[in-house]
């Protein structure tokens, strides 16, 4: 049991060491640091003066939750405005419940119901990727557009969300093989022709951005910033070419889909609906690709190991021109 009179920052760091999964650990760290920063600002004290008991106080938690729900803790404007999404509020609640249980004083706060988003089918995802890869929005910088399309390409090919794609490094993309591939969380996935072309374009841009460092602080992270970071109180502004935060990728993706498609789709919506193969799919020959992989005229489908999306769906209205285009677009070929 953790002493509630002890420093909150030390308890949080000890708590985070229990997570083997990097994505879960980063999420817990993000929300606990947000909570600590909010509480310190509201009390007008230093963060190292807060105790574990301060974090576990129900009134403090409620104040923080209310502020987060209003969007008072946000640094970027969300797709629906400043208000926090139900999924992020559920993640905050889970973080507090897990931390309180670690401290020996479980709170068992009621967790909001998560609303799952409606995913594009595999055919729609590949068609939309080709559209985004070939048309650069006029009001978006070229380097940001190239990075965002590359993220979407990997989401389409691997059916992995941004939490998994964010940690990728340069060795995780192998484009020199006859069948290009990418590695996400230790598992390799084949890349179709369009995705390989998109990633090649981004890697050339990546080399250009990181070469400006003259070898100092050069990053092997796949996703890097395309411009200087935001200035803060007493913080040094990082130049372009340094690892990009997940929020940076999310904001750029939202801007791209809004300008190009008329609706701010999430990256997870491009992961495809499991069990929906593309037209003309044929079973791969044994020993060449992972079991269950399908080769198609429009690309490929990864192993069907993920369950279909169930539960309540979030209302996402696609623009009429975009939906009409999806229905009329011909099936892609490997040469397109």
């Amino acid at each position: 049991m953790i002493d509630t009179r002890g420093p909150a920052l030390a308890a949080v760091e000890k708590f985070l060491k229990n997570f083997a999964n990097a994505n879960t650990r980063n999420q817990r760290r993000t929300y606990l640091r947000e909570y600590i920063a909010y509480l310190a600002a509201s009390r007008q004290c230093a963060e190292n003066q807060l105790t574990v008991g301060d974090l576990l106080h129900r009134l403090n938690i409620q104040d923080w939750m209310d502020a987060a729900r209003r969007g008072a803790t946000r640094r970027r404007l969300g797709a629906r405005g400043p208000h926090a999404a139900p999924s992020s509020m559920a993640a905050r609640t889970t973080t507090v419940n897990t931390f309180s249980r670690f401290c020996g004083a479980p709170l068992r706060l009621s967790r909001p119901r998560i609303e799952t988003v409606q995913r594009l089918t595999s055919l729609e995802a590949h068609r939309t990727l080709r559209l985004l890869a070939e048309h650069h929005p006029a009001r978006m910088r070229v380097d940001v557009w190239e990075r965002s399309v590359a993220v979407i390409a990997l989401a389409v090919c691997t059916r992995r969300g941004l939490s998994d794609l964010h940690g990728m490094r340069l060795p995780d993309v192998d484009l020199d093989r006859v069948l290009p591939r990418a590695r996400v969380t230790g598992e390799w996935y084949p890349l179709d022709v369009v995705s390989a072309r998109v990633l090649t374009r981004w890697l050339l841009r990546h080399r250009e951005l990181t070469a400006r460092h003259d070898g100092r602080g050069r990053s092997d992270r796949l996703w890097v910033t395309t411009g200087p970071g935001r200035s803060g109180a007493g913080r040094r502004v990082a130049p372009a070419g340094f690892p990009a935060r997940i929020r940076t990728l999310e904001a750029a993706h939202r801007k791209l889909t809004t300008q190009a498609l008329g609706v701010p789709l999430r990256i997870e919506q491009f992961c495809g609906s499991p069990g929906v193969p593309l037209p003309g799919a044929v079973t791969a020959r044994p020993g060449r690709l992972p079991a269950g992989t399908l080769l198609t005229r429009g690309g490929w489908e990864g192993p069907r190991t993920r369950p279909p999306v169930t539960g309540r769906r979030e209302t996402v209205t696609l623009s009429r021109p975009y939906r009409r285009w999806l229905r009329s677009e011909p099936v892609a070929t490997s040469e397109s």
Side-chain angles (χ1 to χ4, degrees):
M1 183 172 179
I2 302 295
D3 184 8
T4 57
R5 295 171 297 182
L9 291 175
V12 167
E13 291 302 319
K14 187 175 181 180
F15 164 71
L16 295 174
K17 292 180 180 179
N18 293 306
F19 294 95
N21 186 285
N23 295 323
T24 304
R25 182 172 60 252
N26 292 337
Q27 185 188 71
R28 299 290 185 263
R29 177 185 290 109
T30 297
Y31 289 127
L32 286 175
R33 293 293 302 179
E34 178 188 274
Y35 180 24
I36 291 175
Y38 171 79
L39 192 56
S42 62
R43 291 192 172 190
Q44 297 183 350
C45 67
E47 294 183 359
N48 56 14
Q49 294 178 345
L50 298 176
T51 65
V52 176
D54 294 331
L55 298 187
L56 299 180
H57 198 285
R58 286 183 177 269
L59 290 179
N60 293 337
I61 296 174
Q62 188 61 47
D63 290 342
W64 169 55
M65 291 286 188
D66 291 341
R69 193 175 293 107
R70 297 191 310 268
T73 61
R74 294 189 74 109
R75 287 194 248 175
R76 295 179 182 271
L77 188 65
R80 304 177 181 177
H83 303 287
S87 58
S88 66
M89 295 306 302
R92 287 180 175 87
T93 304
T94 301
T95 299
V96 172
N97 284 338
T98 308
F99 177 70
S100 64
R101 187 166 60 249
F102 168 79
C103 295
L107 294 174
R108 300 185 179 90
L109 301 177
S110 178
R111 187 169 177 263
R113 185 177 182 179
I114 298 179
E115 296 179 344
T116 57
V117 296
Q118 183 178 7
R119 297 189 183 188
L120 300 173
T121 65
S122 297
L123 182 58
E124 291 175 337
H126 278 85
R127 287 174 173 175
T128 306
L129 170 62
R130 287 173 35 240
L131 171 69
L132 297 175
E134 296 169 3
H135 300 281
H136 167 230
R139 292 177 294 173
M140 192 172 194
R141 287 173 47 183
V142 176
D143 46 12
V144 178
W145 165 63
E146 292 174 346
R147 184 185 63 191
S148 298
V149 175
V151 174
I152 294 175
L154 286 175
V156 171
C157 289
T158 66
R159 285 182 171 170
R160 296 298 189 98
L162 188 56
S163 58
D164 293 329
L165 301 178
H166 179 248
M168 293 182 65
R169 298 182 179 274
L170 293 179
D172 293 328
V173 178
D174 187 359
L175 303 178
D176 296 329
R177 296 169 54 91
V178 176
L179 181 62
R181 62 180 184 172
R183 179 175 55 193
V184 185
T185 63
E187 186 174 355
W188 287 99
Y189 297 85
L191 301 175
D192 58 42
V193 176
V194 176
S195 299
R197 187 184 307 134
V198 166
L199 284 167
T200 300
R201 183 172 62 188
W202 166 243
L203 290 179
L204 292 175
R205 181 72 64 178
H206 182 286
R207 184 183 307 170
E208 177 185 336
L209 292 170
T210 56
R212 302 172 184 174
H213 301 164
D214 298 328
R216 295 171 296 178
R218 198 165 186 171
S219 174
D220 67 339
R221 296 287 292 270
L222 182 59
W223 313 117
V224 296
T225 56
T226 58
R230 294 187 175 186
S231 60
R235 292 186 304 178
R236 187 178 179 182
V237 178
F242 279 81
R245 295 189 177 187
I246 192 168
R247 292 185 178 181
T248 302
L249 301 180
E250 288 175 341
H253 172 83
R254 183 166 58 248
K255 182 177 181 181
L256 171 61
T257 54
T258 300
Q259 292 188 8
L261 308 177
V263 59
L265 297 181
R266 298 183 183 178
I267 293 179
E268 285 70 18
Q269 292 181 258
F270 286 87
C271 296
S273 300
V276 183
L278 289 175
V282 294
T283 306
R285 288 182 292 174
R288 300 297 298 274
L289 293 174
T293 302
L294 298 177
L295 295 178
T296 71
R297 290 183 294 169
W300 71 281
E301 284 208 357
R304 296 190 226 174
T305 58
R306 292 177 176 267
V309 179
T310 59
R312 182 180 176 185
R313 287 184 172 182
E314 183 182 40
T315 302
V316 178
T317 304
L318 302 182
S319 62
R320 288 185 179 181
Y322 171 51
R323 178 58 67 183
R324 197 180 306 119
W325 174 82
L326 281 177
R327 293 173 179 172
S328 61
E329 179 72 5
V331 176
T333 62
S334 59
E335 290 80 20
S336 60

